[in-house]
Amino acid sequence: MIQGTKKECRKCGLPQGYPGIKFNREGVCNYCIYFSLYRERENIIKEKLKKEILELINRVKRKKYRNRYDCIVAYSGGKDSSYLLYYLKEKFGLRILAHVLDNGFVSSQAFKNIKTVTHNLGIDCVITRPPIPLLKKVFVYALTERIPYPKEILAMMSQVCAVCLGMVFGTTLNNAIDKKIPLMFVGFTPGQYPAVSLENFLKVRSCMFLSDKVYKDDPLDIIKIIGDSVRERFGKRVEEFYFKSQYISSGMFVPKVLLPFHALLDYNEKEIIETISKIGWVRPRDTDACSTNCLINTLGNFACKKQLGYHPYIGELSHMVREGKMSVKDIKEATKIEVNSPTFFYSLEKLGLKRRKIR
Ligand SMILES: [Zn+2]
C-alpha cells in the first residue's frame, strides 16, 4: 500500500526504511511472514521458558539462607513495571527490592506512583540519581548525533531510550551485585524487546538474559554495544552507570535477569491498568501516549523520526497488529508525535537544546 510516497506493509503498517524490512510481491513484509511461520514454535518455547522461570523462583524461595531480597526489579513507575511488582509480590510472595533510575525526566506523577505502589505493596525502594549535568550531556549526544548502533537495536528503540536503558540495566545490576540479590526482573513487554527476546532465548534455550549461561553465539551483546558508545564519548564519568557485557565469566556473581512478560505473563493492557489502579497507580497526564513515566520520550521519538525516518515504537505496535490486538489505523494514531506538547518544550528547555539542532 502506498501512502504518501512511502511504502508500507499491507498487513501491519511497517514502513519502508524500517531496519531489515523487505516486501513480497503482495506487499506483505518479512516481519509478518516470519511471525506466521514461527508462531507455533514460539508458543512451545514459551511454555518451556515459563517452566524455567518458575523453577528459578521456587529455588530462590526454598534456599536455606535466603537473602534479604529474593529479587530486584528495574522499576520505572510506569504501568508495566508497576504491574510486575504487584504480580511478583502477590503471586509468589517474593521479597522484592524495587530499583528506580532517576534519569532527570521522570514525570512527577510517576514519582507519586513509585511511592504509592511500593508503599501499598510493602516493597522497599531505592533510587539511583546520576548527576543531572552528566545526564543532560548523554541525552543531548543521543538526540543530536547518529550513534553507530546496529539496526537490531534501532529497530526496537530510539537512541535516547537506548542510552537510558543501558543505565537502567547497569545501575540495577550494580545494586543487585552489591547486595547479592539472586534474581533481577525487567518489565519489558514482548513488543518492546522483540528481536533479542524469544529469538535469543530460543538459541540459548534459557529465559535468562544475562548470566554465564548466555553463550557467545548469542547474536547481539546489547549491553556492551549500548555502553561502548557512551563510554567512548564520556569516559570514566559514565563507567559506574553502565554494565560491561551481557556475557559473564562463570564464577562471577550476577543476578539471573528475567523478562517475565515474554513467557510468564500474557500481556493485556486493560487488565494491567485495572489491577494497578487498585493499588493506587494513576496514569500521568504529563507524558505522551507512548509512555507512562518518562518526559523525554516525546523528544526521543521526534529525534528518532528525524534521524532514522520512522517512529521507534512502530516495531512494537506492528507486532500488536500481527497479534490482532491493534489495527493499522490505531498505529497511525499512536505514533503521532506531539511536537506542541508541554513535555516536548519542557525537555528541550531543560536540555538547553534548540529544536533545529535535532536533525
Ligand atoms: Zn508486515
Side-chain angles (χ1 to χ4, degrees):
M1 183 184 285
I2 308 287
Q3 183 164 28
T5 51
K6 216 170 187 185
K7 194 173 175 183
E8 283 173 4
C9 173
R10 201 162 55 78
K11 277 192 169 169
C12 72
L14 265 188
Q16 200 166 27
Y18 182 79
I21 200 164
K22 286 188 188 81
F23 297 95
N24 71 7
R25 245 179 272 159
E26 284 78 47
V28 177
C29 80
N30 49 338
Y31 288 88
C32 281
I33 291 162
Y34 186 87
F35 178 79
S36 61
L37 285 174
Y38 288 95
R39 194 161 201 197
E40 206 36 51
R41 199 168 139 228
E42 270 197 18
N43 289 336
I44 296 166
I45 199 83
K46 263 188 185 170
E47 280 308 307
K48 201 174 162 292
L49 298 180
K50 190 171 169 179
K51 233 176 108 190
E52 189 184 9
I53 296 183
L54 292 173
E55 272 170 26
L56 281 167
I57 290 175
N58 284 328
R59 203 185 304 158
V60 162
K61 283 171 72 178
R62 276 199 309 266
K63 263 191 187 163
K64 206 170 168 193
Y65 301 104
R66 242 167 116 179
N67 191 294
R68 180 167 169 202
Y69 301 111
D70 300 315
C71 66
I72 192 163
V73 175
Y75 187 39
S76 70
K79 61 178 173 4
D80 301 333
S81 55
S82 294
Y83 183 77
L84 187 56
L85 286 184
Y86 162 85
Y87 182 80
L88 294 173
K89 173 89 186 188
E90 295 304 312
K91 172 122 187 176
F92 301 107
L94 287 175
R95 299 193 285 208
I96 303 165
L97 177 64
H99 173 263
V100 176
L101 173 84
D102 180 0
N103 69 359
F105 289 87
V106 178
S107 109
S108 59
Q109 182 60 50
F111 265 125
K112 283 182 200 157
N113 287 334
I114 287 166
K115 234 178 148 178
T116 312
V117 168
T118 52
H119 176 82
N120 287 344
L121 290 172
I123 289 173
D124 290 349
C125 181
V126 288
I127 301 179
T128 301
R129 292 197 160 90
I132 294 284
L134 180 65
L135 288 168
K136 284 186 187 173
K137 284 195 182 102
V138 172
F139 287 141
V140 168
Y141 165 59
L143 284 164
T144 56
E145 289 181 46
R146 181 74 167 81
I147 308 177
Y149 287 149
K151 65 180 193 316
E152 288 84 352
I153 289 180
L154 297 175
M156 292 183 281
M157 59 192 120
S158 67
Q159 295 192 156
V160 168
C161 279
V163 297
C164 188
L165 181 71
M167 274 188 273
V168 170
F169 257 88
T171 52
T172 311
L173 276 167
N174 285 337
N175 264 278
I177 292 168
D178 270 0
K179 299 178 175 69
K180 296 259 183 301
I181 303 174
L183 299 177
M184 169 171 154
F185 289 96
V186 186
F188 291 128
T189 61
Q192 266 177 334
Y193 228 46
V196 277
S197 53
L198 283 174
E199 181 72 21
N200 280 14
F201 294 158
L202 273 166
K203 284 193 179 115
V204 300
R205 294 175 193 286
S206 167
C207 57
M208 279 174 267
F209 179 69
L210 176 145
S211 81
D212 55 16
K213 280 198 172 169
V214 177
Y215 302 112
K216 299 272 183 195
D217 65 349
D218 192 333
L220 195 62
D221 192 347
I222 294 209
I223 300 283
K224 180 175 188 302
I225 295 168
I226 287 177
D228 276 351
S229 295
V230 187
R231 275 187 287 261
E232 250 166 53
R233 176 59 62 101
F234 299 101
K236 278 208 170 347
R237 285 177 290 169
V238 293
E239 204 61 55
E240 63 181 296
F241 306 116
Y242 287 86
F243 199 71
K244 52 185 185 306
S245 166
Q246 75 187 65
Y247 304 128
I248 306 300
S249 52
S250 62
M252 178 188 176
F253 174 79
V254 282
K256 293 178 171 40
V257 179
L258 304 171
L259 282 55
F261 277 109
H262 286 76
L264 200 57
L265 282 158
D266 252 336
Y267 195 79
N268 181 326
E269 185 173 357
K270 199 170 154 253
E271 230 175 87
I272 285 176
I273 290 178
E274 263 172 33
T275 306
I276 55 177
S277 299
K278 289 180 196 147
I279 45 168
W281 188 87
V282 176
R283 182 184 274 280
R285 291 180 177 278
D286 49 358
T287 56
D288 72 8
C290 285
S291 173
T292 50
N293 59 298
C294 181
L295 297 174
I296 201 174
N297 196 51
T298 314
L299 192 56
N301 294 344
F302 173 80
C304 184
K305 227 170 162 176
K306 285 261 175 194
Q307 290 160 335
L308 307 168
Y310 56 88
H311 191 289
Y313 284 57
I314 194 97
E316 172 179 1
L317 296 169
S318 72
H319 189 79
M320 289 176 81
V321 172
R322 270 169 236 130
E323 287 183 319
K325 292 177 179 169
M326 250 182 140
S327 70
V328 173
K329 208 174 143 230
D330 296 335
I331 289 197
K332 298 270 179 269
E333 203 46 50
T335 53
K336 273 188 190 147
I337 294 176
E338 298 154 46
V339 286
N340 290 314
S341 64
T343 49
F344 188 80
F345 292 113
Y346 168 83
S347 309
L348 279 176
E349 201 179 310
K350 186 159 177 172
L351 293 168
L353 195 63
K354 292 270 181 281
R355 181 173 159 173
R356 63 183 152 75
K357 286 270 181 196
I358 299 169
R359 286 184 289 251

